[in-house]
Amino acid sequence: DIVLTQAPLSVSVTPGESASISCRSSKSLLSSKGITSLYWYLQKPGKSPQLLIYRMSNLASGVPDRFSGSGSETDFTLKISKVETEDVGVYYCAQFLEFTFGSGTKLEIK
Amino acid sequence: EVKLLESGGGLVQPGGSLRLSCAASGFTFADFYMSWIRQSPGKAPEWLSFIRNKANSYTTEYNPSVKGRFTISRDDTQNVLYLQMNTLRAEDTAIYYCASDGGYSLFDYWGQGVMVTVSS
């Protein structure tokens, strides 16, 4: 089974500063079609998760370009530049080779 | 605007059954794969099942944790997704979401979720 390990568990950020969240996979997420099957979701308080990044580094429609994704076959990073108060919530990475989610990283505002 | 509205949740005794529905609108439902995902309080989402579209013969996939107990189905004439849940256990207590593929991922759009509580 593919396990996704996120770090840190939580992060507290001053508005306007940057934040980075790590996601490490126990196996390569590079599919036979050459697609890196790693996705990032944000679940705002009391809401359903929403897609931020697909296929490791592509911004979903309507997502501010303050969000960016990068990585390799097993190590991935979500970066949020110039954090805003609306970015508060739990960030999950997810892999779609076996459809599992990481345990989440809670972003709070200082 | 894509809208997904789940219904059918509630309190059920262990060993009981429940059928969830997800009414879809704002997109061509028949063209897209549809999924069910659940989330226990304070936990990460857990994928349960997805069903492919007619072009892919409505084939289904299940998480081993629910395979044999849960059945996903869809009615493209009514734009509704279903999840039949049998032999429910306390650990099935969670918010259940339906989600649709939107061209980016299997879970591009999510409903607001419906609570299922399994307890005596």
Side-chain angles (χ1 to χ4, degrees):
Chain A
D1 293 358
I2 298 175
V3 176
L4 298 178
T5 303
Q6 286 187 235
L9 209 59
S10 66
V11 59
S12 185
V13 186
T14 300
E17 293 189 342
S18 295
S20 288
I21 298 170
S22 167
C23 176
R24 178 165 292 179
S25 174
S26 60
K27 295 181 184 177
S28 170
L29 298 184
L30 183 62
S31 73
S32 57
K33 297 181 180 180
I35 294 169
T36 304
S37 191
L38 190 281
Y39 300 75
W40 289 98
Y41 291 85
L42 164 60
Q43 186 169 29
K44 295 183 178 181
K47 300 293 186 182
S48 308
Q50 60 184 91
L51 178 68
L52 297 175
I53 302 286
Y54 64 99
R55 298 179 185 177
M56 186 176 72
S57 59
N58 297 279
L59 209 59
S61 177
V63 175
D65 60 7
R66 301 183 287 102
F67 293 89
S68 62
S70 62
S72 63
E73 294 186 18
T74 58
D75 288 278
F76 308 95
T77 302
L78 174 71
K79 183 176 180 181
I80 312 165
S81 60
K82 299 179 183 177
V83 168
E84 299 184 3
T85 54
E86 66 179 28
D87 299 335
V88 164
V90 181
Y91 290 79
Y92 294 101
C93 58
Q95 59 83 15
F96 284 5
L97 297 184
E98 296 178 1
F99 303 102
T100 60
F101 289 79
S103 54
T105 295
K106 185 175 185 179
L107 185 145
E108 300 174 319
I109 297 294
K110 281 184 183 175
Chain B
E1 180 191 3
V2 172
K3 288 187 179 179
L4 300 169
L5 185 62
E6 302 92 341
S7 61
L11 175 64
V12 60
Q13 291 189 338
S17 298
L18 214 53
R19 189 176 84 154
L20 304 182
S21 301
C22 170
S25 61
F27 65 107
T28 308
F29 180 79
D31 287 349
F32 292 96
Y33 292 17
M34 296 294 297
S35 302
W36 286 100
I37 302 151
R38 70 184 177 189
Q39 188 174 29
S40 302
K43 301 289 187 183
E46 177 189 23
W47 166 74
L48 299 177
S49 178
F50 73 82
I51 184 167
R52 297 177 176 86
N53 54 15
K54 182 179 180 180
N56 289 281
S57 306
Y58 298 127
T59 51
T60 58
E61 305 292 340
Y62 292 93
N63 187 318
S65 68
V66 301
K67 192 171 185 178
R69 296 192 300 126
F70 290 10
T71 302
I72 191 172
S73 61
R74 62 191 295 165
D75 182 343
D76 288 353
T77 65
Q78 298 292 321
N79 291 351
V80 180
L81 176 72
Y82 299 103
L83 184 68
Q84 177 68 41
M85 305 186 294
N86 297 331
T87 321
L88 285 162
R89 308 164 181 163
E91 53 264 37
D92 294 320
T93 294
I95 296 173
Y96 284 71
Y97 297 98
C98 68
S100 69
D101 182 347
Y104 297 122
S105 78
L106 207 53
F107 314 143
D108 284 358
Y109 303 103
W110 298 57
Q112 88 291 342
V114 64
M115 185 70 203
V116 171
T117 303
V118 184
S119 174
S120 55

